[in-house]
Every structure is written in structure tokens, then in C-alpha cells.
Amino acid sequence: MPDCIFCKISAGELGTEFLYEDEDLVIFKDINPKAVTHLLAVPKKHIASIAEMEDSHTHLIGKLFLACKKIADKLGLKGYNLHVNVGKEGGQEIFHIHVHLLSKFSQN
Ligand code: AMP
Ligand code: ZN
């Protein structure tokens, strides 16, 4: 297993506050928000990138997007963007799959 910050965060090793957690994934605030609300949905399983996605990951990746919808509903966000960077040239900096949830609406 690579030395991966999102593996550590999703395993609860860094004490990160989770807005959502289940057996497969966590959602937490981005440390450097680029919108009023900026969350990251991260699977507990290490998959480096959508570029490494396999058929067996289909359910997990679907769950990531469904969890974003559920947290957005819970927070009352009227609209939002879901964003995935793929590969270094695609702007990906952390090589553990994550979905950015960005909204101009406040999470409060
Ligand atoms: P990407 O460029 O798609 O790989 O996005 C990585 C994101 O992770 C960036 O928006 C960072 O601000 C965010 N990030 C990096 N380290 C942390 C951390 N320790 N906690 C929360 N977010 C982080
Ligand atoms: Zn990882």
C-alpha cells in the first residue's frame, strides 16, 4: 500500500471530521476550499485514479456519487458541481480517487 494521505484520512488515522461515513467511503471538507462549500468524497479502498478504474469498482464509484447527492440534500445545497480530476495532466494531485463537491451555497 502506498503512503497515501487519503488512505490515512479515510481510515480515521488523522482525526479528520467526517460529514458522512459508511463502510465504503467518507466525506470531509477540502483543506483548501475553492468554493463556499467544498467537500471531498473518498472511498476507503485505495484506487489511484479513474484511469485505474475496473469493472469491479462500478458499484463503489456509483456509491461515491450517491453519497454526494445525499450530503448535498442533507446540507440543503440548492445546486452544486461534482468534479473529478484524472491524471497529472488532468489536474489530479492526490492519487486516491475522490469526487469534489463544490457549491456556491453555504453548507449551513
Ligand atoms: P486533486 O487535485 O483532484 O487531486 O484534489 C486534491 C484535493 O485534496 C485538493 O483540493 C486539496 O486541497 C485537497 N487536500 C489535500 N490534502 C488534504 C487534507 N489533508 N485534507 C483535506 N483536503 C486535502
Ligand atoms: Zn489511498
Side-chain angles (χ1 to χ4, degrees), residues 52-73:
E52 314 292 329
M53 187 177 169
E54 299 173 1
D55 288 349
S56 62
H57 302 141
T58 303
H59 182 71
L60 178 59
I61 302 303
K63 271 196 77 171
L64 266 190
F65 281 85
L66 183 61
C68 288
K69 173 252 193 271
K70 286 180 178 172
I71 196 77
D73 287 350

Side-chain angles (χ1 to χ4, degrees), residues 2-107:
D3 185 26
C4 171
I5 181 120
F6 281 3
C7 280
K8 289 181 184 149
I9 287 177
S10 63
E13 290 174 14
L14 302 186
T16 307
E17 182 192 347
F18 297 143
L19 284 80
Y20 176 85
E21 179 176 18
D22 66 25
E23 66 274 21
D24 291 320
L25 66 102
V26 295
I27 297 180
F28 54 90
K29 290 181 188 172
D30 195 290
I31 203 169
N32 180 22
K34 294 165 191 73
V36 176
T37 295
H38 187 173
L39 308 178
L40 299 172
V42 176
K44 293 182 176 180
K45 177 181 173 65
H46 182 87
I47 305 166
S49 170
I50 288 289
E52 314 292 329
M53 187 177 169
E54 299 173 1
D55 288 349
S56 62
H57 302 141
T58 303
H59 182 71
L60 178 59
I61 302 303
K63 271 196 77 171
L64 266 190
F65 281 85
L66 183 61
C68 288
K69 173 252 193 271
K70 286 180 178 172
I71 196 77
D73 287 350
K74 189 177 165 197
L75 296 174
L77 302 178
K78 291 189 189 117
Y80 52 93
N81 302 92
L82 299 179
H83 188 116
V84 183
N85 294 323
V86 183
K88 188 162 169 281
E89 288 75 12
Q92 185 175 1
E93 293 178 353
I94 297 195
F95 282 79
H96 177 133
I97 283 180
H98 51 282
V99 178
H100 294 259
L101 191 167
L102 299 136
S103 180
K104 63 183 176 183
F105 297 105
S106 167
Q107 55 196 287

